[in-house]
């Protein structure tokens, strides 16, 4: 339910696009530019990172592209992933919540197996809004998201997914996650911290800029499922948006659908937003500052959660204001 590549403005590959700063005046050619839509297909992205990045950077495009409508088609195999995508877009565009609170809530829903109780209540409220959107095409996403291409059966499946997010629906995320971990580690379960350190050092850390993912954060997520923590908040309620069905085999029954926690338990949700960002000035570059270089005990001054907060905050700010978010001083995003 998350991707394994950093967020990317997918329109940067078009020939009309060029990497320039915001224009201060409207170009004379803008009125003459083609109104032909830009059609983009995202096949199995796993989340909405590319959608957010593309929408946020839209005002940076050249005049020849600015007036062209953009149609982003998202193809997901799992209906639960599609439902989560709709929820995350709605959270990102929820103007009733302050920008920073919206950013934290987005990441909490995005990457945590357990969320705050108030976040669980918020998810249920948004689920009801999304149900109204599917039924009546009313709500914040009306006019922005078109689900007319989906079959009626898929509409019904979306409604079922939204209903499963209600707090009255039982979802024992801790037991389900522990069951998957025990199946993965098998006899190595009691030595899982050693295996986590191996995966971190020999695999994850070799990804570009992934050293900003601190070993303690990665280990905590592998063991608990909580990736993004803010302050002294308590994450005690299951994140029902991570519940999904998958095909399984039952004795004497053949293939059946089994509901459980089928998200990634190895790599983590940090790659999508937490290992890369647009380094617009020296303060942003400071997010990747490394102490004790070349000594064998290098350590990043900041961590992946701070990078993720900066990225999501940047996207939301630019979507709202049309201006690029710039860090004016070195700070800690907590």
């Amino acid at each position: 339910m998350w991707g394994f590549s950093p967020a990317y403005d997918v329109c940067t590959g078009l020939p009309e696009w060029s990497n320039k700063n915001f224009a201060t005046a409207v170009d004379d050619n803008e009125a003459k530019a083609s109104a032909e839509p830009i059609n983009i297909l995202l096949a199995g992205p796993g989340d909405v990172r590319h959608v957010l990045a593309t929408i946020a950077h839209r005002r940076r495009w050249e005049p020849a592209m600015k007036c062209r409508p953009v149609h982003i088609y998202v193809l997901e195999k799992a209906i639960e992933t599609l439902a989560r995508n709709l929820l995350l877009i709605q959270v990102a565009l929820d103007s009733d919540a302050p920008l920073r609170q919206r950013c934290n809530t987005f990441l909490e829903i995005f990457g945590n197996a357990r969320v705050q109780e108030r976040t669980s209540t918020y998810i249920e409220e948004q689920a009801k809004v999304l149900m109204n959107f599917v039924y009546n095409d009313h709500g914040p996403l009306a006019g922005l998201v078109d689900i007319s291409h989906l079959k009626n059966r898929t509409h019904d499946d979306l409604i079922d997914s939204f209903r499963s997010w209600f707090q009255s629906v039982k979802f024992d995320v801790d037991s389900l996650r522990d069951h998957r971990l025990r199946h993965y580690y098998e006899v190595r379960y009691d030595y899982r911290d050693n295996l986590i350190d191996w995966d971190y050092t020999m695999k994850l850390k070799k990804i570009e800029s992934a050293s900003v993912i601190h070993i303690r954060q990665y280990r905590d997520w592998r063991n608990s499922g909580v990736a993004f923590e803010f302050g002294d908040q308590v994450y005690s309620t299951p994140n029902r948006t991570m519940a999904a069905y998958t095909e399984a085999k039952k004795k004497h029954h053949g293939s059946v659908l089994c509901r459980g926690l089928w998200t990634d338990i190895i790599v983590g949700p940090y790659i999508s937003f937490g290992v890369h960002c647009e380094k617009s000035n020296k303060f942003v570059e400071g997010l990747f500052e490394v102490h004790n270089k070349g000594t064998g005990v290098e350590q990043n001054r900041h961590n992946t959660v701070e990078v993720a907060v900066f990225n999501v905050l940047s996207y939301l700010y630019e979507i709202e204001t049309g201006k690029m978010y710039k860090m004016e001083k070195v700070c800690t995003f907590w």
Side-chain angles (χ1 to χ4, degrees):
M1 292 187 174
W2 45 70
F4 300 121
S5 63
Y8 176 70
D9 177 0
V10 293
C11 284
T12 56
L14 295 177
E16 299 93 337
W17 185 91
S18 63
N19 187 17
K20 294 184 179 180
N21 295 327
F22 288 104
T24 56
V26 178
D27 194 281
D28 293 337
N29 294 327
E30 186 169 355
K32 302 177 182 178
S34 171
E36 182 181 354
I38 301 172
N39 296 317
I40 301 164
L41 172 63
L42 298 177
D47 57 43
V48 295
R49 64 193 186 282
H50 301 315
V51 175
L52 282 183
T54 303
I55 295 174
H57 295 169
R58 179 167 172 76
R59 293 183 179 89
R60 303 185 189 185
W61 299 347
E62 286 297 284
M65 294 177 60
K66 277 185 180 179
C67 65
R68 296 176 63 183
V70 179
H71 299 164
I72 302 177
Y73 298 87
V74 179
L75 176 64
E76 293 286 4
K77 181 178 180 180
I79 193 66
E80 294 85 2
T81 304
L82 182 59
R84 257 174 62 96
N85 287 348
L86 292 174
L87 172 65
L88 290 172
I89 292 175
Q90 186 158 287
V91 171
L93 302 179
D94 184 8
S95 58
D96 292 336
L99 199 63
R100 181 56 194 274
Q101 179 184 336
R102 205 186 322 160
C103 170
N104 290 3
T105 303
F106 179 96
L107 288 172
E108 187 180 344
I109 297 172
F110 172 73
N112 289 0
R114 284 182 279 108
V115 297
Q116 301 173 65
E117 187 174 350
R118 67 177 182 181
T119 304
S120 182
T121 302
Y122 177 76
I123 290 173
E124 181 172 344
E125 293 171 354
Q126 297 304 311
K128 294 176 181 177
V129 175
L130 287 169
M131 289 172 64
N132 186 40
F133 166 67
V134 174
Y135 278 135
N136 306 312
D137 197 24
H138 292 161
L141 298 185
L144 297 175
V145 177
D146 180 12
I147 58 173
S148 62
H149 296 285
L150 301 179
K151 297 179 180 178
N152 290 335
R153 179 179 177 180
T154 307
H155 286 201
D156 295 338
D157 291 340
L158 279 174
I159 294 296
D160 290 339
S161 293
F162 298 146
R163 283 187 179 138
S164 70
W165 299 347
F166 289 5
Q167 292 177 293
S168 58
V169 178
K170 184 179 179 181
F171 182 56
D172 191 352
V173 66
D174 292 328
S175 297
L176 292 170
R177 198 169 195 282
D178 183 68
H179 180 75
R180 285 200 62 201
L181 291 176
R182 289 181 181 276
H183 183 269
Y184 173 72
Y185 291 119
E186 295 180 336
V187 296
R188 305 169 297 172
Y189 182 81
D190 291 336
Y191 310 99
R192 58 190 179 279
D193 282 350
N194 296 336
L195 296 172
I196 292 170
D197 290 347
W198 173 269
D199 287 342
Y200 175 80
T201 304
M202 304 305 296
K203 297 178 181 178
L204 184 66
K205 202 172 180 180
K206 292 184 178 180
I207 299 174
E208 184 180 0
S209 300
S211 62
V212 76
I213 304 174
H214 198 281
I215 177 59
R216 184 176 297 176
Q217 290 175 315
Y218 181 66
R219 188 187 299 120
D220 288 346
W221 171 78
R222 285 277 294 257
N223 287 324
S224 70
V226 177
F228 300 99
E229 296 185 77
F230 304 100
D232 57 353
Q233 306 299 330
V234 177
Y235 302 90
S236 57
T237 308
N239 185 353
R240 293 174 175 82
T241 69
M242 289 189 176
Y245 285 91
T246 190
E247 290 186 2
K249 289 186 177 180
K250 187 176 181 180
K251 192 174 182 180
H252 306 307
H253 286 79
S255 296
V256 295
L257 289 177
C258 180
R259 186 171 186 261
L261 182 75
W262 307 114
T263 59
D264 159 52
I265 59 172
I266 307 300
V267 180
Y270 301 115
I271 306 298
S272 294
F273 297 106
V275 299
H276 173 79
C277 67
E278 186 176 5
K279 300 174 183 177
S280 55
N281 57 35
K282 63 179 181 179
F283 300 118
V284 181
E285 292 176 359
L287 289 174
F288 297 90
E289 181 181 350
V290 179
H291 289 175
N292 306 319
K293 278 187 178 180
T295 63
V297 289
E298 295 87 352
Q299 184 174 3
N300 284 74
R301 180 181 178 185
H302 299 276
N303 60 65
T304 183
V305 175
E306 295 175 83
V307 176
V309 170
F310 173 79
N311 274 324
V312 175
L313 199 60
S314 298
Y315 295 145
L316 301 187
Y317 179 84
E318 195 164 338
I319 289 172
E320 279 197 3
T321 66
K323 299 177 182 178
M324 185 176 179
Y325 181 82
K326 292 185 178 180
M327 189 188 298
E328 297 182 353
K329 64 178 181 178
V330 178
C331 58
T332 302
F333 293 97
W334 297 106

